[in-house]
Amino acid sequence: MNLSVNKGEVISLIGPSGSGKSTFLRVLMGLLPPTAGEVRIDGGAIDYRSRPQLRAMRDRMAIVFQQYNLFQNMDVLRNVTIAPIKIKKRPRADVEREATALLLKVGLAEKHHAYPDELSGGQQQRVAIARALALKPEILLLDEVTAALDPELVTEVLDTIRSLASEGITMLIVSHEMAFVREVSTRVVMMDKGQVVEIGSPAEIFGSPKEARTREFVGKILRH
Amino acid sequence: MWDRIVQEAPDFFTYYNAIFVLQAMGRTLALTVIGCVAGFIFGFAIAAIRSTRARALLPLRLLVTVYVEIFRRIPFLVILFIVMFGIQAVSRGISLFAIALISICMVSTAFMSEIIRAGMESVPKMQREAAEAMNFGFMRTLLLVILPQAWKVILPPGFAFMVMFIKDTALVSQMGVVELAFTGKMFVGRGFSPFLVYGTVLAGYFVMSYPLSRLGAYLENRLATSRSRESIQRVWTGPGPVQSEPVGEQG
């Protein structure tokens, strides 16, 4: 597949289950090596066998997982601050001040000392978003962040992401929330069987798809 | 039997015999404590090695796996004699106690490594992945994320193993190390009533192992409840908004 992302873009990946959307994000995050092809950042190809290169790449990105994956042994504040403090070696006071602001932004200002298992799914996912933002990523990857949530809790998470999109942070979103994708994306990528079927603006993909596969998929999804 | 115990007691409970038994108890305790501490340290190292995935470490992984599988399957007594004859073939200058200690460490390492590995594997894989995505290295992932969550799974079988291990150290009396069980054999050999002698030995083992089980139970309890207790306090004393949001919907 061939896809280039420009700074400030919000790109959504859509497609049926097993089409390789999540795998694509994991390759970008350096969690999986690509079986073929290459990933380039600022024009330079990443060598997945080189640890320093992988680390440098991960350093510029952050990912939010479908299952939140908050560290169960740490409270909310520590979940958000641990990587900036321990890995990026930034001063604790600065990091904690920023974390407080981030938690306020995702609407969890009063939950600093709650543990993940005391929070609802939607709250956990918002903490996970704050944790990713605390890393100050150039690119934020969101992997089906609402798929594990109860329908009522989806809105709170989507609202959070919507406000990020309006701030101009570069994002790659894998989502099945078509209305949301349509609203926030600058471009939409339709994937199937590990291949890019079509890339276009939301209006093109949802309004007048060129490919038969896209038409079929979008038609099915929008009908229900 | 009772008459004989009462009659022999003054001769048995003398100052020198007491010192002798206490010294033997000290040796049993040393074997256990050093064995368990070494077992924990080396067992942790083995568990950590076995959790790596790098291809370069494959030979090392294979080696420690073979070690663990072999040493968990040979009876302790057999290991004792293999180590004893092995060491004595090389050097005669090493004390029996040191040989016993080495054997004990080898066995406890094998068992503890499996207990620790099981604990580490109880932590969901995704936790590791989240850490990896944030550039935690191998050791940071282990120390900051995996181990703190693995503790409550490691502790109960860990302490059960240590308590069992106190008793297993009795086997080193077979190679002539003067520890608690050995003193029993010796006093009976001197003609004291076996009930009196082994009653004392029994009391000695109990005094050592009971506090250890209590400590284990205490730690387990603390680990299991510390967080929920903390959160209960927060619910009771915390500010109002804490309870105003929906809780309980897990995805």
Side-chain angles (χ1 to χ4, degrees):
Chain A
M1 63 181 283
N2 196 341
L3 170 69
S4 54
V5 181
N6 301 316
K7 209 169 161 59
E9 272 196 295
V10 177
I11 300 217
S12 292
L13 302 165
I14 61 169
S17 301
S19 59
K21 310 178 298 285
S22 294
T23 307
F24 178 63
L25 289 194
R26 297 162 99 81
V27 170
L28 285 184
M29 199 63 230
L31 295 172
L32 279 176
T35 47
E38 57 184 20
V39 174
R40 287 193 204 150
I41 296 183
D42 289 345
I46 302 294
D47 178 3
Y48 278 71
R49 284 160 305 181
S50 152
R51 282 203 156 272
Q53 282 196 30
L54 270 187
R55 290 185 72 90
M57 175 168 81
R58 288 184 194 137
D59 211 34
R60 307 171 67 169
M61 289 190 262
I63 188 166
V64 180
F65 298 95
Q66 181 176 347
Q67 295 292 344
Y68 346 124
N69 295 347
L70 295 177
F71 298 128
Q72 299 293 318
N73 55 316
M74 302 174 195
D75 66 14
V76 165
L77 188 65
R78 189 145 165 81
N79 257 293
V80 176
T81 57
I82 185 157
I85 292 173
K86 296 271 183 189
I87 313 297
K88 302 211 170 184
K89 307 281 183 204
R90 298 183 44 218
R92 174 178 293 271
D94 292 2
V95 173
E96 286 190 348
R97 192 168 353 99
E98 285 172 19
T100 307
L102 283 171
L103 287 169
L104 183 70
K105 186 163 157 189
V106 298
L108 291 169
E110 76 285 13
K111 294 283 186 191
H112 281 198
H113 298 293
Y115 280 87
D117 57 8
E118 299 165 346
L119 300 175
S120 72
Q123 290 172 331
Q124 289 193 57
Q125 194 58 291
R126 283 183 284 152
V127 174
I129 292 172
R131 176 172 77 169
L133 290 175
L135 295 165
K136 299 190 173 169
E138 292 170 42
I139 307 170
L140 183 63
L141 311 178
L142 302 167
D143 186 7
E144 299 198 32
V145 291
T146 56
L149 299 177
D150 285 351
E152 306 168 60
L153 304 178
V154 167
T155 325
E156 60 187 64
V157 173
L158 291 186
D159 285 343
T160 306
I161 301 170
R162 198 173 283 127
S163 76
L164 294 178
S166 65
E167 284 168 27
I169 178 167
T170 311
M171 288 196 276
L172 272 145
I173 302 174
V174 168
S175 180
H176 291 297
E177 302 288 336
M178 290 304 151
F180 176 72
V181 163
R182 196 171 189 164
E183 176 199 332
V184 300
S185 312
T186 54
R187 280 192 295 161
V188 178
V189 179
M190 165 71 197
M191 286 183 71
D192 191 25
K193 302 191 179 97
Q195 302 293 325
V196 171
V197 176
E198 190 172 349
I199 304 178
S201 69
E204 285 164 4
I205 295 288
F206 293 105
S208 53
K210 292 189 195 72
E211 302 291 328
R213 185 72 187 92
T214 314
R215 217 170 299 138
E216 184 195 356
F217 179 76
V218 170
K220 264 187 200 157
I221 288 240
L222 294 184
R223 211 175 304 134
H224 73 233
Chain B
M1 177 186 104
W2 187 245
D3 290 346
R4 193 174 153 202
I5 290 176
V6 172
Q7 184 196 333
E8 285 177 3
D11 290 330
F12 181 67
F13 291 111
T14 59
Y15 176 71
Y16 289 105
N17 283 355
I19 293 292
F20 187 71
V21 169
L22 283 177
Q23 271 179 350
M25 264 175 82
R27 260 179 227 119
T28 293
L29 202 61
L31 288 169
T32 307
V33 170
I34 297 174
C36 286
V37 170
F40 181 80
I41 293 169
F42 294 124
F44 174 68
I46 286 184
I49 289 170
R50 289 184 77 176
S51 77
T52 58
R53 278 168 299 175
R55 197 165 294 167
L57 292 176
L58 185 68
L60 192 59
R61 275 202 295 278
L62 214 62
L63 187 77
V64 295
T65 307
V66 167
Y67 171 85
V68 169
E69 291 308 314
I70 288 178
F71 275 74
R72 284 172 64 226
R73 275 167 181 76
I74 310 176
F76 185 30
L77 194 59
V78 177
I79 292 178
L80 270 181
F81 284 118
I82 290 175
V83 173
M84 182 170 82
F85 291 123
I87 287 179
Q88 288 186 339
V90 181
S91 157
R92 293 235 147 225
I94 295 172
S95 74
L96 283 176
F97 181 78
I99 292 172
L101 199 56
I102 291 169
S103 323
I104 279 177
C105 291
M106 291 175 96
V107 175
S108 69
T109 296
F111 278 93
M112 287 299 273
S113 82
E114 281 296 277
I115 292 172
I116 294 170
R117 190 170 72 100
M120 280 164 46
E121 278 177 7
S122 74
V123 179
K125 292 257 181 303
M126 296 298 280
Q127 294 274 311
R128 205 181 279 263
E129 198 163 56
E132 198 183 347
M134 291 196 286
N135 262 337
F136 283 51
F138 177 76
M139 278 320 273
R140 279 212 188 87
T141 306
L142 209 56
L143 296 178
L144 295 173
V145 178
I146 307 292
L147 264 195
Q149 296 184 58
W151 269 132
K152 55 178 181 284
V153 182
I154 292 174
L155 268 188
F159 270 89
F161 174 75
M162 285 190 221
V163 169
M164 198 190 74
F165 210 59
I166 292 185
K167 302 179 290 174
D168 285 353
T169 58
L171 280 171
V172 307
S173 64
Q174 292 299 313
M175 50 185 272
V177 174
V178 185
E179 46 69 76
L180 191 53
F182 187 94
T183 62
K185 219 162 63 170
M186 205 196 67
F187 281 117
V188 171
R190 280 209 219 146
F192 285 109
S193 153
F195 294 103
L196 178 66
V197 173
Y198 283 111
T200 308
V201 169
L202 182 149
Y205 277 112
F206 184 82
V207 163
M208 287 187 290
S209 80
Y210 189 69
L212 192 62
S213 344
R214 294 311 306 161
L215 176 68
Y218 168 76
L219 286 178
E220 235 173 86
N221 207 23
R222 232 181 77 121
L223 222 64
T225 57
S226 63
R227 248 181 48 197
S228 44
R229 200 184 294 141
E230 223 174 89
S231 67
I232 286 166
Q233 263 171 16
R234 267 205 306 284
V235 169
W236 289 113
T237 61
V242 172
Q243 294 168 62
S244 67
E245 292 202 41
V247 189
E249 296 97 326
Q250 303 289 336

